[in-house]
Amino acid sequence: MWSKTMLVVFINIVFIHCLSVNIGAAVANPAASDGRFVHHGFTAEDLTMDGLAAVTPTGLLALTNATYQTKAHAFHPAPLRFLNTSSSAAATVRSFSTSFVFAIVSDDPRFRNNVDHGLAFVVSPTKNLSTANAGQYLGLLSMADDGKPSNHVFAVELDIITNPEFGDIDSNHVGVDVNSLRSLQAKTAGYYVDGDGAFRSLQLNSQKPMQVWVDYDGQAKQLNVTLSPVQVPKPKKPLLSQAIDLSTVMAEEMYVGFSSATGVVFTHHYVLGWSFSFDGGAAPSLDFSMLPKVPRVGPTRRSVMLYVVLPIASALLFLVAFVLGVFFFVRRWHRQYAEVREDWEVEFGPHRFTYKDLFHATQGFTDKNLLGAGGFGSVYKGVLPVSNTEIAVKRVSHNSRQGMREFIAEVVSIGRIRHRNIVRLLGYCRRKGELLLVYDYKTNGSLDKCLHDNATSTTLCWPKRIHIIKGVASALSYLHKDWEQVVIHRDVKASNVLLDSEMNGLLGDFGLSRLRDHGADAKTTYVVGTMGYIAPELMHTGKATPLTDVFAFGVFLLEVTCGRRPIGESDSNEILLIDWVLKHFLSGSILDVVDPRLAGRFSFEEVNLVLKLGLMCSHPLPKARPSMDRVVKYLDGMLPAPELSPTHMSYNMMELMLQNGVGSHSLPVWSSLLDSSVGTMSSASVLSDGR
Ligand SMILES: *[C@@H]1O[C@H](CO)[C@@H](O)[C@H](O)[C@H]1NC(C)=O
Ligand SMILES: *[C@@H]1O[C@H](CO)[C@@H](O)[C@H](O)[C@H]1NC(C)=O
Ligand SMILES: *[C@@H]1O[C@H](CO)[C@@H](O)[C@H](O)[C@H]1NC(C)=O
Ligand SMILES: *[C@@H]1O[C@H](CO)[C@@H](O)[C@H](O)[C@H]1NC(C)=O
């Protein structure tokens, strides 16, 4: 019983509640339909359309499409009550606000200006505008009824053509129309910037979406129309403000919507969003991010850029880049491998290497392949591409063409020399300002390095030294006497003796000094050779002879035996090796000069012989020096060891050098030799100080 009552009460409560909700909804609906609406894009149900008007799949209201002289209308389906009938007196018009976003797109950019018609926001007593004309009538009115008060049509036109019959101000204007297309007031499209109030004009058919506000104050009987680009919030100052009493225009029920018409140019009129409200409430604002996008049609400026200019430009750019690339590549290739070739070189063809081969053989002359850098240039190790021959490439910078022919002839001729103690010159290559000489590669580097480089831990033992000495002697003897012509080496020294894997000494670097002879400054005949190895008479006359080679060989013998450089220090004095050895020779302490690193492990006879020969060969008077032929015989024991009388040997090489060499004209000689000599910088300064 109790529960039954409770149930009835409960049901009643639920029923009443539902009823009240239903009543609420019933009350809310007419309120909602009373003018206020907002559309971000449209569906077909949102609008009553005729003519060309259609809603696109993206929700865009496309009033017109590419069709000539046709109308389009789209109305809010329900009629709106604009009149305030509650007042007993004459009816007044309710305040209203509407806002919409539109875009006008002309297919053909050539006709952007002037040629087609616009669209209008319209308030009309009927949705049936079938009698209206297209074209300049915007589908609003007909030629027959234009201007008649019976039309009851109010419109805000966005016109993009000048119609003189309606007194249009220009081809890009906003106008207020009542019953006629002759506007009550019209203004060139644009807006007033908030703040400074500056006017910015806008192109209605620019394809860009723009927003329009139409606000009517029923009390003040004032109509405001405002326009702005969608990015700009509603400007405070309206584009046009018109005092107007719409009460004579408005009928009991009115329809709001849009009207548009095409002329002879394909133009699209789009409405993207729309809101409306009555009675002083601002039209609901539109959220642009929710609006559909305006489609790009026809060859717009941007698409012309995109599809015509850009591809052509990029193709051109690519072509130019490609041609430039090829050009620079070829030029670089050409430069990288460029050589100097002259007609006379044809006969030396077989001895000529291409720079490209040498470049690749030495891996582009990388530092990794650098064997050493001396006075005449840098030497690189390489492997010839096809034959896999190991080579040493000497790059000599040489800027003069003078004497080049003779030099190359000599290089080629020397290249034919086959002797087991002579480094084979395989050929050459010429480039601008540069000469490249290609030699057989010798695994153990130069004797100079072996002898003086403390980094090499193993000391060259005496048997190896005498072996090397004999080898170099036989090479020089061969050059002086046995070869088809007399060849003067001109630069015998430890660093020009290379060692192969079996520690054979091979004489290399022929005639380079000769090249120096024909240096850039032809007026100065530089004495060539290397400080400390230069015979006094060579200093004096500048003429190289086999005996100047013998002198250098004498110094070389002393150097190898003593393990000292030709010019060195002793008792903190700069002295010539020759003088130092001679001093010990004369004082009977000759064994004191022998390289202490040999630690006494040597044959006394051999050392004695070599030192004696060294002194003999480096005698200041050329006539007192033996020929290389004889030197070889002494070394081989085919001639008894020569005797040196102390009187015969009473000279001081340093003094002789100073007397002969450092004359007033020959200071440049010394300085010019600095770069090509080993350890001569200090001695040269001492020598000049010594004057
Ligand atoms: C334009 O719209 C009309 C009516 O909807 C249609 O018949 C016509 O095919 C359309 N034309 C173009 C080019 O889209
Ligand atoms: C209608 O008019 C009366 C008197 O003129 C006014 O008081 C009232 O607010 C108006 N109503 C609307 C909805 O404008
Ligand atoms: C529109 O009005 C015309 C006459 O003015 C009439 O012939 C036509 O049927 C009407 N159309 C609609 C859809 O009511
Ligand atoms: C129209 O604009 C003026 C300022 O230019 C303003 O005072 C007035 O309130 C506006 N009226 C409406 C209905 O927006």
Side-chain angles (χ1 to χ4, degrees), residues 51-52 65-67:
L52 296 176
N65 61 15
T67 311

Side-chain angles (χ1 to χ4, degrees), residues 326-337:
V326 167
F327 174 76
F328 281 112
F329 179 79
V330 168
R331 203 173 70 156
R332 213 194 104 147
W333 193 86
H334 199 73
R335 276 203 186 154
Q336 184 164 6
Y337 302 131

Side-chain angles (χ1 to χ4, degrees), residues 350-370:
H351 301 274
R352 176 114 197 186
F353 282 84
T354 67
Y355 183 72
K356 197 180 156 189
D357 280 351
L358 298 182
F359 187 86
H360 289 301
T362 57
Q363 292 172 300
F365 294 99
T366 52
D367 285 350
K368 202 181 82 196
N369 286 26
L370 186 68

Side-chain angles (χ1 to χ4, degrees), residues 84-90 92-95 219 279:
N84 180 357
T85 46
S86 63
S87 66
S88 48
T92 56
V93 173
R94 294 164 69 186
S95 297
Q219 229 76 60
D279 301 331

Side-chain angles (χ1 to χ4, degrees), residues 250-470:
M250 298 297 185
E252 194 76 13
E253 286 192 331
M254 295 294 272
Y255 293 90
V256 290
F258 300 94
S259 175
S260 180
T262 55
V264 293
V265 174
F266 292 162
T267 300
H268 300 262
H269 301 89
Y270 296 110
V271 178
L272 289 68
W274 182 23
S275 69
F276 189 96
S277 82
F278 270 125
D279 301 331
S285 58
L286 296 170
D287 182 348
F288 304 117
S289 64
M290 290 165 69
L291 298 179
K293 297 280 167 291
V294 178
R296 299 253 157 226
V297 282
T300 62
R301 225 172 292 169
R302 189 151 155 204
S303 61
V304 164
M305 270 300 283
L306 216 64
Y307 299 117
V308 182
V309 179
L310 260 178
I312 290 176
S314 46
L316 273 177
L317 210 72
F318 179 77
L319 197 74
V320 167
F322 182 75
V323 167
L324 275 179
V326 167
F327 174 76
F328 281 112
F329 179 79
V330 168
R331 203 173 70 156
R332 213 194 104 147
W333 193 86
H334 199 73
R335 276 203 186 154
Q336 184 164 6
Y337 302 131
E339 296 175 16
V340 174
R341 256 176 221 271
E342 283 172 282
D343 290 344
W344 53 260
E345 284 179 72
V346 173
E347 57 174 305
F348 308 127
H351 301 274
R352 176 114 197 186
F353 282 84
T354 67
Y355 183 72
K356 197 180 156 189
D357 280 351
L358 298 182
F359 187 86
H360 289 301
T362 57
Q363 292 172 300
F365 294 99
T366 52
D367 285 350
K368 202 181 82 196
N369 286 26
L370 186 68
L371 290 172
F376 286 114
S378 309
V379 188
Y380 295 84
K381 187 190 168 173
V383 178
L384 281 179
V386 180
S387 58
N388 262 355
T389 316
E390 285 192 314
I391 54 166
V393 183
K394 186 158 202 162
R395 296 183 80 150
V396 185
S397 61
H398 178 72
N399 286 314
S400 169
R401 284 179 56 198
Q402 253 189 331
M404 185 50 84
R405 185 174 184 161
E406 292 76 10
F407 178 76
I408 296 295
E410 198 173 303
V411 162
V412 170
S413 136
I414 289 165
R416 286 189 290 117
I417 299 175
R418 295 285 179 275
H419 188 278
R420 66 190 182 94
N421 292 107
I422 292 174
V423 178
R424 241 180 94 197
L425 181 64
L426 302 176
Y428 74 101
C429 176
R430 284 177 67 203
R431 273 162 63 81
K432 197 161 173 274
E434 194 175 35
L435 180 72
L436 295 104
L437 297 171
V438 184
Y439 297 95
D440 259 345
Y441 172 71
K442 294 298 162 204
T443 26
N444 276 322
S446 83
L447 174 61
D448 180 75
K449 229 178 178 175
C450 258
L451 213 51
H452 300 300
D453 195 346
N454 292 329
T456 49
S457 50
T458 51
T459 311
L460 213 50
C461 65
W462 177 252
K464 276 181 187 160
R465 293 191 197 201
I466 188 84
H467 180 65
I468 291 163
I469 287 170
K470 283 178 180 175

